[in-house]
């Protein structure tokens, strides 16, 4: 949906993640959804586990009505790393 106010991006970035905007727009000083995949959140770390934990912690900071994010991204990589 379009026009939903997004909050928490600054809090996410304070955790050291990069927030990549895709379906967002700025209007009247507010960040709003603008349809489609709204944003990506990228975490960095010394290990894949650390990067994933940071990325998902960043996702948890971002809020808007109807938000949905996948929680399985990176899991195949973790399985490969543990072999």
């Amino acid at each position: 949906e379009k026009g939903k106010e997004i909050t928490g991006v600054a809090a996410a970035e304070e955790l050291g993640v990069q927030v990549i905007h895709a379906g967002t727009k700025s209007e009247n000083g507010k960040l709003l959804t603008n349809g489609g995949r709204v944003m990506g959140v990228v975490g960095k770390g010394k290990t894949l586990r650390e990067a994933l934990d940071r990325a998902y912690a960043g996702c948890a900071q971002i809020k808007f009505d109807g938000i949905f994010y996948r929680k399985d991204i990176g899991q195949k990589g973790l399985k490969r790393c543990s072999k």
Side-chain angles (χ1 to χ4, degrees), residues 1 4-9 12 19 33 36-41 56-71:
E1 291 184 44
K4 305 293 183 178
E5 184 175 4
I6 303 168
T7 61
V9 173
V19 178
T33 60
R37 289 188 171 97
V38 176
M39 57 185 57
V41 178
Y56 286 117
C59 288
Q61 297 299 311
I62 299 169
K63 309 282 187 216
F64 60 87
D65 194 29
I67 190 170
F68 171 81
Y69 60 92
R70 290 179 52 185
K71 297 177 178 86

Side-chain angles (χ1 to χ4, degrees), residues 9 12-19 41-44 54-59:
V9 173
E13 290 173 335
E14 287 177 12
L15 297 175
V17 300
Q18 180 180 9
V19 178
V41 178
V42 180
K44 292 182 181 180
R54 184 167 287 138
Y56 286 117
C59 288

